[in-house]
Amino acid sequence: MIQVENLMFRYPESQEPTLKGVSFDIQKGEVFGFLGPSGAGKSTTQKVLYKIYGEYEGTVKVDGKDLSAWDNTYFEKIGVGFELPNHYLKLTGKENMELFASFYPRSPKRSMEELFEMVDLKDAMDKPVESYSKGMKMRLNFIRAIQHDPDILFFDEPTSGLDPVNAHKIKQHILDLKKEGKTIFVATHSMETADSICDRIAFIVDGQLEVTDAPASLKSQYGKEAVKVELATGECNEFPLSDLGINTSFLQFIKEGEVKGIHTMEATLEEVFIRVTGKSLRS
């Protein structure tokens, strides 16, 4: 659905390019994660893809057509959830949604009430957005991006500012959109978000992609194929996953006392990121 080859972009006031030959592809129906610290090029890449920035070098194709060849119908094909909510604060939530819905010829797939209900904002539909909390504005941001039923969705930090319950709901909604066949690009610095919803992820640092792979593959590759067993006494031991069920040392150890926990030794995505890039995601 999206093909990017050797993408380079330089801001007019900058000596160095922000994007330095970025290449990746995203399949139809895939959730693709773009991970990196602030300033790495995540948002710039997205702004190229949704045609805010047109002066770039390299090749970008969407649904088989060069991005530059798309006319305004492109904006019917995509939906964008910005990192910072941008609403008309004096209008109600419903009025904001109706205004943006009027930009598109396609009738909404879901009713206005359904959209507000799916993010627990139905009671706030007729309230001015200036009275909304940041989390409420983010949820309004989300349904505004999907209301015209686009084929491709771009989300920039979709769980930012949300409490754990609502963050979980938004991630589940993204997975539901994937089931509908939507192609979804998620830019985030949240490893937990990427791990839970992305089919593949790319690490971007200083405008360059360092690695692209499935989260499970990366965690396995950079971790140990082993389990760590902890007994209630505090004693710990590690055992290889291979033939664990017939490993006499493992079977003997778990008989020695109450088992407090058994954990796989795969690396976390943040550990993988640091090992691959030499940088912290919080930098």
Side-chain angles (χ1 to χ4, degrees):
M1 182 62 81
I2 297 174
Q3 293 174 295
V4 177
E5 294 183 9
N6 199 31
L7 176 61
M8 300 187 70
F9 180 86
R10 184 197 310 271
Y11 288 96
E13 69 278 8
S14 177
Q15 295 283 329
E16 293 291 322
T18 298
L19 302 179
K20 307 169 184 176
V22 171
S23 298
F24 61 90
D25 64 86
I26 307 176
Q27 302 301 311
K28 177 177 171 58
E30 181 178 29
V31 181
F32 187 84
F34 226 50
L35 283 75
S38 297
K42 301 188 305 296
S43 294
T44 301
T45 302
Q46 283 204 118
K47 288 173 181 177
V48 169
L49 289 173
Y50 46 71
K51 297 194 74 171
I52 285 183
Y53 297 155
E55 299 297 321
Y56 60 85
E57 296 179 30
T59 302
V60 180
K61 291 184 177 180
V62 177
D63 203 9
K65 184 190 294 189
D66 195 277
L67 185 60
S68 61
W70 280 95
D71 59 17
N72 283 346
T73 58
Y74 182 69
F75 300 106
E76 299 168 26
K77 190 177 187 66
I78 69 171
V80 180
F82 297 96
E83 178 180 6
L84 299 176
N86 51 340
H87 309 293
Y88 291 97
L89 300 181
K90 297 298 182 181
L91 300 182
T92 66
K94 183 179 180 182
E95 288 169 341
N96 267 273
M97 292 284 284
E98 288 173 338
L99 173 62
F100 284 96
S102 70
F103 297 163
Y104 304 97
R106 185 186 303 183
S107 299
K109 181 179 178 180
R110 300 173 176 89
S111 70
M112 196 68 68
E113 288 73 18
E114 286 178 305
L115 287 166
F116 275 88
E117 189 168 11
M118 73 184 288
V119 292
D120 296 326
L121 285 178
K122 192 171 182 180
D123 291 342
M125 282 180 62
D126 296 316
K127 295 179 180 178
V129 173
E130 64 183 358
S131 69
Y132 284 25
S133 67
K134 180 183 178 181
M136 293 170 72
K137 290 175 183 175
M138 284 299 294
R139 285 180 275 155
L140 183 63
N141 210 36
F142 179 82
I143 58 174
R144 194 182 77 187
I146 70 171
Q147 71 168 332
H148 59 290
D149 194 27
D151 296 324
I152 303 171
L153 286 154
F154 297 96
F155 293 117
D156 198 346
E157 303 292 358
T159 59
S160 175
L162 298 180
D163 61 81
V165 172
N166 280 304
H168 175 78
K169 289 180 179 179
I170 291 298
K171 287 184 286 187
Q172 187 57 56
H173 289 318
I174 291 174
L175 292 175
D176 290 341
L177 289 165
K178 174 193 169 182
K179 291 178 183 177
E180 294 176 14
K182 309 300 184 184
T183 302
I184 303 169
F185 184 112
V186 178
T188 184
H189 67 267
S190 170
M191 290 294 182
E192 190 279 329
T193 295
D195 197 9
S196 60
I197 65 174
C198 293
D199 298 298
R200 287 187 303 139
I201 57 175
F203 291 159
I204 183 169
V205 177
D206 297 330
Q208 295 178 299
L209 291 192
E210 299 292 340
V211 67
T212 302
D213 208 338
S217 177
L218 288 171
K219 291 188 294 180
S220 176
Q221 180 181 347
Y222 288 89
K224 293 181 180 179
E225 292 189 354
V227 293
K228 181 178 181 180
V229 183
E230 181 181 2
L231 300 181
T233 60
E235 188 177 359
C236 294
N237 215 334
E238 295 179 15
F239 302 93
L241 276 173
S242 179
D243 299 323
L244 185 65
I246 57 175
N247 185 321
T248 55
S249 297
F250 167 74
L251 296 172
Q252 180 59 40
F253 185 73
I254 61 176
K255 291 178 183 178
E256 292 178 3
E258 181 183 350
V259 176
K260 185 177 180 181
I262 300 178
H263 308 280
T264 60
M265 299 294 289
E266 65 182 15
T268 66
L269 278 185
E270 185 156 8
E271 290 169 342
V272 174
F273 185 88
I274 292 170
R275 289 179 62 181
V276 168
T277 68
K279 298 193 176 188
S280 169
L281 203 63
R282 297 178 177 85
S283 64

